[in-house]
Amino acid sequence: MVEFIAVCLCGGLGAVARFVLDTSIQRQWKRAFPLGTFLINVTAAFCAGIAAGAYANVTVPHSTYLLFVTGFLGGLSTFSSATGQIVSLSQHKNIALALTYAALTLLVPLGCAFAGWGVAMTC
């Protein structure tokens, strides 16, 4: 039960961090491309890769991995917001940007997760 509550609290912290970061980035960015969500998801994927590699190397206990990846990074990253932004771009007739964002949202974080894994495996 304690682990469950801890994961929930870490998820809440991640969600607050996402809100603050996304709002701050979008205030400065002022373009149609949802840079805030994109950068947050890319960063979270990289961190998840590092955490997965550290866990695989048994340098991080399962409870820490669970709190960080499932809790904090789960609250920080958001595929649902990215999907909503893709739909919104499409509805505003910005199809090329929607398709570009969709492709980047799938491919770049995946590459970042692999890169994070690689970093963790070399340490």
Side-chain angles (χ1 to χ4, degrees):
M1 185 63 163
V2 171
E3 193 172 65
F4 173 78
I5 292 169
V7 169
C8 290
L9 290 173
C10 287
L13 290 174
V16 169
R18 176 182 68 231
F19 175 77
V20 170
L21 288 169
D22 187 46
T23 301
S24 298
I25 293 167
Q26 288 307 122
R27 279 187 186 151
Q28 299 298 317
W29 179 244
K30 301 195 190 303
R31 291 179 180 85
F33 186 86
L35 185 64
T37 301
F38 180 75
L39 290 176
I40 290 165
N41 286 342
V42 165
T43 302
F46 182 72
C47 291
I50 291 173
Y55 179 65
N57 280 334
V58 194
T59 56
V60 174
H62 183 261
S63 58
T64 302
Y65 175 80
L66 186 68
L67 290 175
F68 184 63
V69 175
T70 304
F72 184 76
L73 293 179
L76 179 68
S77 63
T78 174
F79 191 72
S80 60
S81 288
T83 302
Q85 290 163 339
I86 292 165
V87 169
S88 178
L89 287 168
S90 298
Q91 289 174 337
H92 289 95
K93 309 292 186 223
N94 209 337
I95 304 301
L97 185 57
L99 292 174
T100 300
Y101 181 54
L104 290 173
T105 294
L106 293 173
L107 298 175
V108 175
L110 185 59
C112 286
F114 281 116
W117 175 276
V119 166
M121 290 304 186
T122 59
C123 293

